[in-house]
Amino acid sequence: MRNPTSGYAPVSTASPDDDDNNNGYDLDDLVAKPLPPIPTPPKFDPRAFRLYRRDLVSFSLSFLVSLPLVLLLALLTGDGSLFGYHSSSPSATNQAQKPNGKFIVPGGVGVGGNGNGGGGCEPTSTVPQYFNTEDGKWAGPTATGKAGFLAQTREWDLERGNRKQTWVPNEPLQTQVPVKGGGDQSEEGKSIFGEMGFLTPYKPSNGFGVEEWPMPAGAEIVQVQMLSRHGSRYPTIGSNVYGFGERIKEGKLSGGFRAKGELGFLNEWEYELGEEILVPKGRQELFDSGVLHAYMYGRLYNPHSKIIVRTTTQDRMLKSAENFVAGFFGLEWTRNATIEVIIEGAGYNNSLAGYMNCPNGGKVDGGSKAQERWMGVYLQNATERLGKLVKGYKWTVQDTYAAQTMCPYETVAYGFSKFCELFTYEEWLHFGYSIDLNFYGNDAFGSPVGRAIGLGYQQEVVARLQNRTLGYSGSQINVTLDNNTATFPLNQSLYFDFSHDTNIISILAAFGLTQFAGTLDPLTYPGQHNFTVSDMTPFGARLDIEIIKTQKPVLADREIDERGGETEYVHFVLNQRTVHLGWSLEECDGTRKDGWCELGAFLKAQERMGKMARYEEACHGDWDMKNWEYGRVWDGVPV
């Protein structure tokens, strides 16, 4: 059990007024009470003493004779260990059976309460699986990559044509290496690193068309429910950049590959990225987010309480939660929070990874096909340009797109990437749009499972607002956990949950935020548009749902209605910018300047979201084939 880092501690049954040195008894109970009589010592009995001595000698002899036999039997029939000592390292098979060396998942936990979890717990563990933060078998791939070495490999090429460039700290990492790709900016001075879709290092959103307003006099934020994405990471298994690295490697092994010009670095380049876990930038993003939230909402935390923070078992998810709470509370965060780790695996119910128990979700590919069509349009010139720089290798559109994708991955892993300088700012805008197409068609209102995948988390937010647990949902929540206030508390003013980019996109759809609906054209770049992934779910993205209490109603024009009484509002803040609830939910006031919605109206609007998601049909139904076509689905449910 890793109590110092898990934050888990058994709840004391002693009174809060108990003194540390009185063994749980109130001292007042002992005041002015007579002491019990002192017993008289018994007289010495010689016969009893002789019998006692005989029994003691017999027991000692029996123990000494039996001990070698017991030890021999343990060695022959055990696991090769003697009281925990191994003569050699345990086998890989034994390690796989006990992934964390402490706890195996008990039946019925983490499977939506249906008791199909299997396994059992070891008697030495006192921490339930969902509070155990040691790496287990649901951590996912954890291979690390080549470490950065900027001090050794930095370049100081400040010459651009006939003029010298003044050095400025580059972004997203403030290093001593001027990033040429970052310098290839638009006329407005915008950096390419803000146009990389879900691979965009965290930045505040450019905004969702709403003016930001200060809190009116007398208003008070009384609760915040935060949903955060993990930080910057290595590529996932099967990523296109890995395939690109393998193709270049094979080309070199064949002996015919040779690159020149801007691609000349490929002659010495090797693919050395890790798999799926956080890179240093990712740890920083979540730590910084914790610090920011401490400044924004720190006063909501009751210093005499210990809150539950929820994440999933994937390594990057758990580490993101730990870095966040370290930023919010400090390195002694285990005094303030307990991390609840929900199994992320096929067949396990988990609102923070809703796609895991939505079988039809893995079949949806309309967004992926729209993305491929757009790649063939916007990368035509780049593919021709780069193809001329390679001999002995047939350079394709897929290679061009993978090279573009390599830029953000290598930048956050190593501090810079030569792939960044291969593309123009316009091509980076179009790269971001390719990701918008993918997410819109696979995970949002353009997907037949868009609402269903996000439904579980929408229900949990509403349940907290209504001060109730969830014994049944009709979605993929974990009922075992959500029906228990020990694992689904209702008395917190701060809730911190951690999820994935596509899951957050589906959650926005499940809330009914139709301002992010509207099919995107896979053949033409539309310019500025509402559904922009780099603004919605960059690395480290966060949705802060604020509950605001005012002494008097705040009118749509932000004037105070002196005739009314105390009123509560909901305020959605996505990556530090307001999302207007009235533009999507008819129950809310679409004319409000601030985008708020009265709490009662918001809850009324959410009542119909479960039926609109059509979870069973969307996730488990047999659809018509037209649901696979991009552009046929428009409301996040099957047509």
Side-chain angles (χ1 to χ4, degrees), residues 317-439:
M317 296 297 302
L318 175 56
K319 299 301 192 299
S320 291
E322 289 179 326
N323 278 280
F324 178 92
V325 292
F328 191 95
F329 293 112
L331 296 181
E332 303 80 16
W333 62 264
T334 55
R335 303 173 183 175
N336 314 103
T338 294
I339 294 182
E340 179 177 308
V341 191
I342 309 174
I343 296 173
E344 182 171 351
Y348 288 90
N349 282 331
N350 187 342
S351 65
L352 302 177
Y355 42 79
M356 281 296 183
N357 215 6
C358 183
N360 284 340
K363 304 174 184 177
V364 176
D365 62 354
S368 301
K369 290 181 177 178
Q371 179 184 38
E372 291 175 3
R373 293 178 66 188
W374 175 239
M375 286 164 49
V377 173
Y378 91 91
L379 287 179
Q380 184 175 358
N381 292 337
T383 301
E384 183 179 351
R385 182 174 72 239
L386 296 176
K388 294 178 180 179
L389 303 177
V390 180
K391 291 184 178 180
Y393 181 88
K394 185 178 181 180
W395 189 273
T396 67
V397 170
Q398 283 70 33
D399 292 318
T400 306
Y401 193 73
Q404 199 168 16
T405 308
M406 198 76 73
C407 163
Y409 276 130
E410 284 197 341
T411 298
V412 296
Y414 307 143
F416 80 108
S417 173
K418 289 182 175 291
F419 289 97
C420 296
E421 59 197 66
L422 300 177
F423 303 93
T424 67
Y425 183 78
E426 182 181 36
E427 286 167 344
W428 282 111
L429 284 176
H430 294 170
F431 174 80
Y433 186 60
S434 75
I435 295 169
D436 298 342
L437 288 165
N438 182 300
F439 278 48

Side-chain angles (χ1 to χ4, degrees), residues 133-402:
T133 56
E134 288 191 352
D135 291 337
K137 67 179 181 181
W138 298 281
T142 56
T144 191
K146 181 185 71 172
F149 203 8
L150 273 178
Q152 177 72 24
T153 59
R154 64 188 175 194
E155 300 175 3
W156 290 96
D157 182 11
L158 299 180
E159 297 284 349
R160 298 275 182 90
N162 296 323
R163 60 191 180 95
K164 280 193 173 184
Q165 300 292 307
T166 301
W167 180 83
V168 293
N170 62 297
E171 61 173 30
L173 305 171
Q174 293 189 9
T175 69
Q176 294 173 297
V177 182
V179 175
K180 294 180 181 178
D184 185 7
Q185 299 174 353
S186 68
E187 294 179 359
E188 294 81 17
K190 295 180 180 179
S191 168
I192 66 172
F193 291 105
E195 310 296 341
M196 296 180 172
F198 74 111
L199 300 177
T200 300
Y202 181 76
K203 66 178 183 63
S205 168
N206 291 320
F208 304 101
V210 191
E211 294 182 36
E212 304 296 335
W213 292 81
M215 294 289 288
E220 179 185 8
I221 299 175
V222 295
Q223 184 188 95
V224 169
Q225 299 191 40
M226 181 205 75
L227 178 66
S228 173
R229 186 191 176 197
H230 58 75
S232 295
R233 56 163 172 77
Y234 287 122
T236 53
I237 293 292
S239 174
N240 65 339
V241 292
Y242 174 78
F244 174 79
E246 289 296 297
R247 292 193 297 273
I248 297 298
K249 181 179 179 179
E250 291 172 3
K252 293 178 181 178
L253 291 175
S254 69
F257 181 91
R258 193 67 186 170
K260 63 180 181 179
E262 289 185 306
L263 284 181
F265 71 92
L266 285 180
N267 295 320
E268 305 297 329
W269 174 85
E270 293 182 15
Y271 180 84
E272 297 178 291
L273 295 172
E275 296 172 351
E276 305 201 7
I277 59 176
L278 294 181
V279 295
K281 176 65 175 175
R283 299 195 295 268
Q284 179 192 16
E285 287 166 332
L286 268 295
F287 185 89
D288 288 350
S289 179
V291 171
L292 175 62
H293 279 80
Y295 280 114
M296 294 291 291
Y297 306 113
R299 201 167 296 181
L300 288 176
Y301 172 69
N302 177 0
H304 303 292
S305 68
K306 194 169 186 179
I307 65 172
I308 297 292
V309 174
R310 303 190 310 164
T311 188
T312 83
T313 52
Q314 281 204 2
D315 185 86
R316 65 182 180 273
M317 296 297 302
L318 175 56
K319 299 301 192 299
S320 291
E322 289 179 326
N323 278 280
F324 178 92
V325 292
F328 191 95
F329 293 112
L331 296 181
E332 303 80 16
W333 62 264
T334 55
R335 303 173 183 175
N336 314 103
T338 294
I339 294 182
E340 179 177 308
V341 191
I342 309 174
I343 296 173
E344 182 171 351
Y348 288 90
N349 282 331
N350 187 342
S351 65
L352 302 177
Y355 42 79
M356 281 296 183
N357 215 6
C358 183
N360 284 340
K363 304 174 184 177
V364 176
D365 62 354
S368 301
K369 290 181 177 178
Q371 179 184 38
E372 291 175 3
R373 293 178 66 188
W374 175 239
M375 286 164 49
V377 173
Y378 91 91
L379 287 179
Q380 184 175 358
N381 292 337
T383 301
E384 183 179 351
R385 182 174 72 239
L386 296 176
K388 294 178 180 179
L389 303 177
V390 180
K391 291 184 178 180
Y393 181 88
K394 185 178 181 180
W395 189 273
T396 67
V397 170
Q398 283 70 33
D399 292 318
T400 306
Y401 193 73

Side-chain angles (χ1 to χ4, degrees), residues 515 579-592 595-597:
Q515 73 174 84
V579 176
H580 201 302
L581 295 174
W583 292 350
S584 298
L585 306 174
E586 60 185 31
E587 291 83 354
C588 302
D589 187 349
T591 67
R592 291 193 68 94
W596 296 5
C597 182

Side-chain angles (χ1 to χ4, degrees), residues 215-223 300 547-551 567 569:
M215 294 289 288
E220 179 185 8
I221 299 175
V222 295
Q223 184 188 95
L300 288 176
I547 306 302
I548 303 169
K549 183 181 293 185
T550 63
Q551 296 177 353
T567 309
Y569 297 90

